[in-house]
Amino acid sequence: MPKKVVNMKYKIKTNFILKTFYFISIAYTCIFIMAFIVTSLHAYNTISNCEKAEGINLNGFVTFKASDNKIYNIENTSNLFEENEKVIIYYDLNNMKEVEYHEIIMNDVETFGFISLLGIIIYIILQIILSKKNKRERFIIKNGKKVTGRIIEVVRVNDSEGNYSYLKCEYDSVIDDILYFSSQKIYSNKIYKSKFNKGTATIYYLPKDTGSYVVTDCILK
């Protein structure tokens, strides 16, 4: 019986690393926005419902006079304030063991707000870059010439970006005129660990600018 030929079909994911960072930026931005909202609500609730006083940091304790005219010494474990520094606090007479420091509350709000804003900026930048790349690729696919190229080599690389492969392809556009193409990086362990080295690839390119092309899928043999 003839030996069964095994092929591997694979749709090449374009801009894989960029898209990965894009989705990571969305996830982290959402997390920090939620943290910012929770922190802001906590700050608002503390400022609205607790009493405010000005104390002083002395020998590891914050000393202040409460509304009941008593002096309280609350141990300061934050290590944020210097000796003899004035400290604004919020307290609840029913629970004087726990106080909130104005500076810490505002620092938390500002930190999460800044990180959220930074995440939104990164998201917008990545969205613009991806949009331009996707638009360019769609333009090439829509207006370019679709051909089936020969895979002349599956290059496997192991570097700081991890394990990945890319395809080197060629296509005979006319007699004695061979065009060469390389796919984007392929982060597929199946392909990286396989013994496939030949096959065909679907390529779209602009005849007037053969350097503008997209390798969309392949059949490895």
Side-chain angles (χ1 to χ4, degrees):
M1 292 180 65
K3 187 178 179 181
K4 186 179 179 181
V5 178
V6 179
N7 298 331
M8 177 189 287
K9 293 183 178 180
Y10 184 78
K11 184 175 178 61
I12 297 173
K13 299 178 180 69
T14 56
N15 308 309
F16 178 78
I17 291 293
L18 187 59
K19 287 177 181 176
T20 299
F21 278 109
Y22 172 75
F23 288 114
I24 290 175
S25 73
I26 294 175
Y28 273 88
T29 301
C30 290
I31 290 171
F32 281 108
I33 287 176
M34 289 300 299
F36 172 70
I37 292 172
V38 170
T39 306
S40 298
L41 288 174
H42 172 72
Y44 175 78
N45 183 65
T46 299
I47 294 171
S48 300
N49 299 318
C50 293
E51 297 190 59
K52 181 180 178 181
E54 185 179 281
I56 187 168
N57 185 46
L58 294 170
N59 300 318
F61 288 85
V62 173
T63 301
F64 67 97
K65 185 177 182 180
S67 58
D68 59 359
N69 291 321
K70 293 181 180 179
I71 302 296
Y72 292 90
N73 296 302
I74 306 297
E75 186 177 5
N76 176 22
T77 58
S78 66
N79 297 319
L80 182 66
F81 308 107
E82 296 181 359
E83 188 73 6
N84 295 317
E85 182 179 352
K86 291 183 179 180
V87 181
I88 296 175
I89 63 171
Y90 299 95
Y91 64 92
D92 181 352
L93 279 175
N94 297 319
N95 185 15
M96 294 299 293
K97 291 183 178 180
E98 293 185 13
V99 299
E100 298 274 0
Y101 301 100
H102 178 83
E103 187 170 346
I104 293 177
I105 292 173
M106 292 300 105
N107 281 348
D108 288 344
V109 172
E110 289 173 4
T111 298
F112 286 118
F114 174 76
I115 295 175
S116 299
L117 179 62
L118 185 62
I120 291 171
I121 292 171
I122 292 173
Y123 162 77
I124 291 172
I125 292 172
L126 291 176
Q127 172 67 25
I128 292 171
I129 295 172
L130 264 178
S131 178
K132 287 184 177 180
K133 283 184 173 291
N134 290 337
K135 184 177 180 180
R136 179 64 177 167
E137 288 165 3
R138 288 194 298 269
F139 176 83
I140 293 172
I141 291 173
K142 181 179 179 181
N143 299 284
K145 182 177 180 181
K146 179 182 179 181
V147 299
T148 300
R150 293 185 298 276
I151 297 172
I152 55 179
E153 185 181 2
V154 179
V155 181
R156 294 171 174 86
V157 181
N158 182 354
D159 60 16
S160 59
E161 294 185 22
N163 298 335
Y164 61 88
S165 311
Y166 64 89
L167 313 177
K168 286 187 175 182
C169 312
E170 65 178 10
Y171 169 69
D172 298 311
S173 58
V174 293
I175 298 175
D176 296 327
D177 187 6
I178 300 177
L179 300 177
Y180 294 94
F181 305 94
S182 292
S183 73
Q184 292 200 21
K185 294 174 182 177
I186 302 170
Y187 291 87
S188 167
N189 278 328
K190 271 186 161 184
I191 294 178
Y192 182 83
K193 294 179 179 179
S194 74
K195 296 181 180 178
F196 296 115
N197 285 300
K198 302 292 180 181
T200 58
T202 302
I203 302 164
Y204 295 85
Y205 73 94
L206 300 179
K208 293 183 179 180
D209 179 14
T210 56
S212 296
Y213 63 87
V214 181
V215 183
T216 58
D217 54 73
C218 63
I219 298 175
L220 297 173
K221 300 178 181 179

